[in-house]
């Protein structure tokens, strides 16, 4: 079988940041890497779950909502995929991710979509853990540019 593109990235040199994972027609997939792969530290499922709810809620409530295709965690628990239409400039995607970190850090109250009727695992949430993810990512993303979207080799 043909290897999929994400398995061809050298995970031994991959660091935290945002990378262009792939472009499929009019959809760009960004790899938001939050922890270094295979280093023994991974996103907890509860924190990633809450982060996903907040990330998706935030970006889908911006002026760019029509350009958002998908937000979701990686199975390896090292980050998230962020899929957008190609009408969104890379700089805008980076800015949205940076703004999401601020949104998560400042969030208080009930987690959006976390009631039993809304969520398939409604008891598995961790707002403090989601905030810790955002806190760690803020300095990583502070000076991120479109030129840095290329995977390290």
């Amino acid at each position: 079988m043909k290897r999929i593109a994400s398995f061809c990235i050298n995970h031994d040199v991959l660091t935290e940041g945002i990378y262009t994972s792939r472009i499929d027609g009019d959809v760009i997939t960004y790899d938001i890497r939050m922890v270094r792969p295979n280093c023994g530290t991974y996103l907890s499922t509860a924190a990633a779950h809450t982060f996903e709810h907040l990330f998706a809620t935030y970006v889908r409530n911006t002026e760019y909502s029509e350009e958002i295709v998908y937000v979701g965690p990686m199975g390896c628990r090292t980050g998230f995929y962020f899929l957008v239409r190609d009408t969104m400039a890379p700089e805008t995607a980076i800015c949205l991710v940076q703004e999401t970190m601020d949104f998560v850090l400042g969030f208080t109250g009930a987690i959006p979509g976390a009631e039993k009727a809304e969520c398939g695992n409604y008891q598995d949430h961790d707002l403090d853990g989601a905030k810790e993810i955002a806190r760690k990512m803020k300095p990583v993303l502070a000076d991120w540019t479109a030129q840095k979207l290329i995977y390290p080799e």
Side-chain angles (χ1 to χ4, degrees):
M1 296 178 88
K2 182 179 173 185
R3 287 180 68 205
I4 62 172
S6 62
F7 295 161
C8 297
I9 302 304
N10 185 349
H11 285 67
D12 291 334
V13 299
L14 194 53
T15 60
E16 296 91 341
I18 305 173
Y19 305 98
T20 303
S21 176
R22 56 185 299 140
I23 300 172
D24 299 289
D26 70 337
V27 176
I28 300 171
T29 300
Y30 291 103
D31 170 336
I32 304 169
R33 200 58 64 147
M34 298 171 158
V35 297
R36 291 188 64 145
N38 302 312
C39 287
T41 301
Y42 303 96
L43 303 177
S44 77
T45 55
H49 188 194
T50 301
F51 192 91
E52 174 197 14
H53 278 237
L54 295 173
F55 188 175
T57 297
Y58 179 75
V59 297
R60 289 187 174 127
N61 279 281
T62 66
E63 64 184 283
Y64 304 102
S65 62
E66 296 299 316
E67 296 176 86
I68 308 302
V69 176
Y70 174 75
V71 171
M74 296 175 181
C76 61
R77 296 185 296 128
T78 62
F80 277 73
Y81 289 113
F82 181 38
L83 283 69
V84 301
R85 298 277 177 220
D86 65 358
T87 53
M88 180 182 291
E91 295 82 5
T92 301
I94 293 167
C95 186
L96 278 174
V97 173
Q98 291 167 328
E99 290 173 5
T100 295
M101 300 308 153
D102 291 329
F103 175 75
V104 172
L105 279 170
F107 187 82
T108 59
I111 298 161
E115 295 296 322
K116 186 177 181 185
E118 303 167 320
C119 179
N121 195 1
Y122 77 102
Q123 294 178 316
D124 189 35
H125 281 280
D126 178 5
L127 180 57
D128 289 337
K131 288 183 179 213
E132 185 60 23
I133 292 168
R135 190 175 357 274
K136 288 180 178 178
M137 285 302 291
K138 271 193 64 85
V140 172
L141 302 176
D143 298 318
W144 211 266
T145 65
Q147 291 72 33
K148 294 182 178 181
L149 290 172
I150 299 168
Y151 280 119
E153 292 186 24

